């Protein structure tokens, strides 16, 4: 018996020694997957705390851990409200990451040594004047009227989808129906994920309309001057047809997760990637290409302060998207692929701008020719994606299978974000939530149910 106890003690000591060695190794050389996880957690918590005003523990549990990779359940977070800083790690010591908030520019993933530099990033754009609650939407925040025909639709969980956070229905330029999930309301800024891409395209469209950008321009970056990438045009990037290598899979350490959570200069990372196909011959959905679009349009300004102020001056303030925060990476490049926070009502304003052919309160914000590009599907995408960062069909299915008209335009984002636009019906339906792709949600059913209810 005594011998067994000795062997048991030795085995326990050996196992403990192995555990210490493993933990030391993870602390000193954390796997990149761990760093992606803690970087993602820090960024999401930071943005939701400092932009959306949500509770950090709630965000960690509901947004990071519950729907995510099992490893994320090991993440712990500390929030410094005074400094605008979030630090995360696994088990309190492995793969530490940080994200810092900059007023007007949102949050950015940073290294500890770069926190002070990131906080000093230029002068933030001036905040818009508060909305006038006495004016009806979209000029103000008042005057919306619930259409009783939509009550059953907007209370049907099967239609609005799992973990829906906001639904807004706009008809003939007015909000006629709204629904919000627990803890969310018309004042909560919500992340659009890849819906941001279409907003980035709109910024390019505005600059093109002003004669500041040429969509057919090639030789976009000095790094491409000596190889086939010099033939890539801005139009190729807008249609996801550049031919650049880019892996958009979010389940591992890929180009997209590396760009968003490991690289501090996102555009520099993407410009370093090789070409795999001649421009215009292959469709490859790529957040990296939209970050390159951001870097390129920002370079058309004489200084960074003007570029950082442009989205608010030229778009957000013009159409009343007062809550909108387009986040920038630590170098000051807008993450135009993924990181725009805005209330559901403000996302609906953007949808209304597209539904009205770029016209807003008598002002032509976007030229009709650029709006037409948003509605024109590319050959390389087999008719699914347009030449200006939007979709001709809803998620993972043809719209015709749901009885929707061919003219329907979709602005789509990760985890179930969508804006559906039917111009001839002057109908816009915004749906925001936290609905992973695996749940197989189809916003096409919601859109068709709204149409049928309004007939």
């Amino acid at each position: 018996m005594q011998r067994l106890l000795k062997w048991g003690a030795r085995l326990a000591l050996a196992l403990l020694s192995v555990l210490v060695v493993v933990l030391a190794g993870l602390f000193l050389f954390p796997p990149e997957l761990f760093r992606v996880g803690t970087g993602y957690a820090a960024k999401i918590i930071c943005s939701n705390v400092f932009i959306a005003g949500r509770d950090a523990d709630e965000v960690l549990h509901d947004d990071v851990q519950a729907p995510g990779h099992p490893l994320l359940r090991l993440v712990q977070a500390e929030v410094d409200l005074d400094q605008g800083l979030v630090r995360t790690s696994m088990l309190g010591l492995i793969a530490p990451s940080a994200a810092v908030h900059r007023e007007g520019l949102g949050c950015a993933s940073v290294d500890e040594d770069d926190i002070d530099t990131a906080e000093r990033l230029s002068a933030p754009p001036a905040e818009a004047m508060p909305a006038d609650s006495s004016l009806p939407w979209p000029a103000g925040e008042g005057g919306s009227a619930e259409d009783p025909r939509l009550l059953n639709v907007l209370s049907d969980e099967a239609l609005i989808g799992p973990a829906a956070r906001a639904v807004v229905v706009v008809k003939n330029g007015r909000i006629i129906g709204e629904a919000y999930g627990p803890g969310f309301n018309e004042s909560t800024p919500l992340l659009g994920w890849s819906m941001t891409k279409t907003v980035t395209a709109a910024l390019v469209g505005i600059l093109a309309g002003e004669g500041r950008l040429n969509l057919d321009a090639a030789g976009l970056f000095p790094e491409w001057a000596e190889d086939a990438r010099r033939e890539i045009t801005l139009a190729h990037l807008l249609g996801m047809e550049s031919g650049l290598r880019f892996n958009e899979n979010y389940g591992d350490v890929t180009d997209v997760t590396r760009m968003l959570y490991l690289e501090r200069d996102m555009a520099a990372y993407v410009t370093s990637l090789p070409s795999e196909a001649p421009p215009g011959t292959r469709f490859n959905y790529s957040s990296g290409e939209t970050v390159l679009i951001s870097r390129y349009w920002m370079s058309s300004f004489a200084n960074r302060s003007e570029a950082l102020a442009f989205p608010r001056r030229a778009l957000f303030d013009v159409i009343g998207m007062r809550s909108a925060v387009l986040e920038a990476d630590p170098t000051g490049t807008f993450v135009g692929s993924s990181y725009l926070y805005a209330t559901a009502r403000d996302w609906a304003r953007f949808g209304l701008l597209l539904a009205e052919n770029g016209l807003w309160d008598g002002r032509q914000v976007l030229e009709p020719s650029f709006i037409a590009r948003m509605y024109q599907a590319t050959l390389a995408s087999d008719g699914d994606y347009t030449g200006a960062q939007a979709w001709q069909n809803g998620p993972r299915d043809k719209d015709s299978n749901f009885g929707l008209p061919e003219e329907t335009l979709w602005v789509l984002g990760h985890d179930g974000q969508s804006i559906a636009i039917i111009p001839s019906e002057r109908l816009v339906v915004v749906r925001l939530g936290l609905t992973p792709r695996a749940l197989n949600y189809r916003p096409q059913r919601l859109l068709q149910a709204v149409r049928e209810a309004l007939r």
Side-chain angles (χ1 to χ4, degrees):
M1 183 66 180
Q2 192 173 13
R3 182 178 295 177
L4 286 175
L5 289 174
K6 286 182 178 180
W7 275 105
R10 290 174 181 172
L11 179 60
L13 182 60
L15 291 175
L16 181 60
S17 299
V18 170
L19 180 61
V20 169
V21 170
V22 169
L23 289 175
L26 291 174
F27 175 75
L28 294 172
F29 307 104
E32 287 189 329
L33 182 60
F34 285 27
R35 292 176 55 215
V36 166
T38 56
Y40 165 74
K43 171 65 182 60
I44 292 297
I45 293 170
C46 182
S47 297
N48 276 279
V49 168
F50 294 104
I51 298 175
R54 296 177 60 203
D55 177 74
D57 291 336
E58 173 189 288
V59 177
L60 174 61
H61 178 268
D62 294 349
D63 295 49
V64 175
Q65 295 176 332
H69 194 285
L71 282 173
L72 293 173
R73 295 185 176 90
L74 302 177
V75 171
Q76 298 175 2
E78 296 179 0
V79 179
D80 186 329
L81 294 175
D82 294 327
Q83 193 176 358
L85 183 66
V86 175
R87 289 186 173 92
T88 55
S89 63
M90 291 190 178
L91 300 175
L93 74 164
I94 298 170
S97 294
V100 65
H101 177 252
R102 295 82 38 90
E103 193 64 37
L105 297 178
C107 290
S109 299
V110 292
D111 297 318
E112 282 288 336
D113 295 341
D114 297 329
I115 290 173
D116 290 341
T117 302
E119 287 180 322
R120 292 194 299 269
L121 176 63
S122 191
E127 291 187 6
M129 293 296 290
D132 188 340
S133 59
S134 67
L135 293 176
W137 190 94
E141 293 299 335
S144 61
E146 298 286 328
D147 190 317
R149 294 175 294 176
L150 294 179
L151 292 178
N152 289 337
V153 173
L154 298 184
S155 61
D156 188 333
E157 293 185 4
L159 290 175
I160 65 173
R165 291 179 170 179
V167 178
V168 175
V169 179
V170 176
K171 178 74 172 176
N172 296 324
R174 293 287 181 265
I175 293 176
I176 61 169
E178 290 179 280
Y180 294 94
F184 300 90
N185 57 45
E186 67 275 8
S187 300
T188 308
L190 295 167
L191 176 59
W193 283 113
S194 286
M195 296 202 305
T196 310
K197 291 179 172 68
T198 317
V199 176
T200 296
L203 295 173
V204 169
I206 293 170
L207 287 167
E210 294 176 352
R212 300 276 296 273
L213 291 180
N214 178 3
L215 302 185
D216 294 321
L220 303 179
F221 303 101
E223 296 90 338
W224 295 356
E226 303 301 324
D227 58 51
R229 296 175 298 174
R230 65 180 177 273
E231 303 298 329
I232 297 171
T233 67
L234 181 55
H236 288 139
L237 293 177
L238 285 167
M240 302 286 188
E241 299 176 316
S242 73
L244 288 175
R245 188 205 81 192
F246 196 88
N247 185 335
E248 189 77 11
N249 186 345
Y250 282 84
D252 206 338
V253 182
T254 61
D255 290 317
V256 68
T257 55
R258 179 180 297 280
M259 180 187 77
L260 292 175
Y261 305 114
L262 299 181
E263 299 291 335
R264 300 313 178 225
D265 187 339
M266 298 186 191
Y269 172 70
V270 186
T271 55
S272 74
L273 298 177
S275 178
E276 291 184 327
T281 64
R282 184 194 73 171
F283 171 73
N284 180 45
Y285 187 78
S286 164
S287 291
E289 297 195 20
T290 317
V291 169
L292 291 183
I293 293 171
S294 290
R295 173 65 62 85
Y296 184 73
W297 77 250
M298 293 181 77
S299 71
S300 69
F301 288 84
N303 60 69
R304 184 168 58 187
S305 294
E306 289 183 16
L308 290 174
F310 179 73
R312 183 159 296 285
R313 176 181 65 79
L315 180 61
F316 301 152
D317 283 353
V318 173
I319 68 173
M321 289 182 69
R322 296 170 179 85
S323 69
V325 177
L326 182 56
E327 298 181 294
D329 75 7
T331 71
T333 298
F334 285 120
V335 189
S337 62
S338 314
Y339 288 155
L340 176 62
Y341 279 79
T343 65
R345 287 185 170 194
D346 277 352
W347 283 112
R349 285 181 168 95
F350 180 69
L352 181 59
L353 175 69
L354 304 188
E356 297 295 314
N357 205 28
L359 190 67
W360 192 271
D361 195 24
R363 173 177 173 178
Q364 196 70 51
V365 180
L366 278 168
E367 293 297 322
S369 60
F370 194 83
I371 294 292
R373 182 182 288 268
M374 282 193 168
Y375 283 86
Q376 183 62 50
T378 65
L379 293 176
S381 70
D382 196 25
D384 281 338
Y385 203 70
T386 78
Q389 308 265 295
W391 293 89
Q392 282 287 289
N393 287 289
R396 302 165 68 184
D397 229 331
K398 297 293 184 182
D399 284 357
S400 57
N401 294 336
F402 300 88
L404 297 171
E406 288 186 7
E407 65 172 317
T408 306
L409 183 73
W410 291 90
V411 179
L412 299 176
H414 182 60
D415 278 349
Q417 322 314 317
S418 67
I419 305 173
I421 302 153
I422 304 179
S424 67
E425 299 178 17
R426 300 192 70 198
L427 179 65
V428 177
V429 178
V430 175
R431 189 273 180 190
L432 303 167
L434 184 59
T435 310
R437 181 183 176 89
L439 296 180
N440 207 32
Y441 173 65
R442 297 288 192 276
Q444 296 98 316
R445 295 190 180 97
L446 170 63
L447 177 60
Q448 183 62 4
V450 167
R451 296 179 71 227
E452 291 174 354
L454 296 178
R455 285 175 180 164

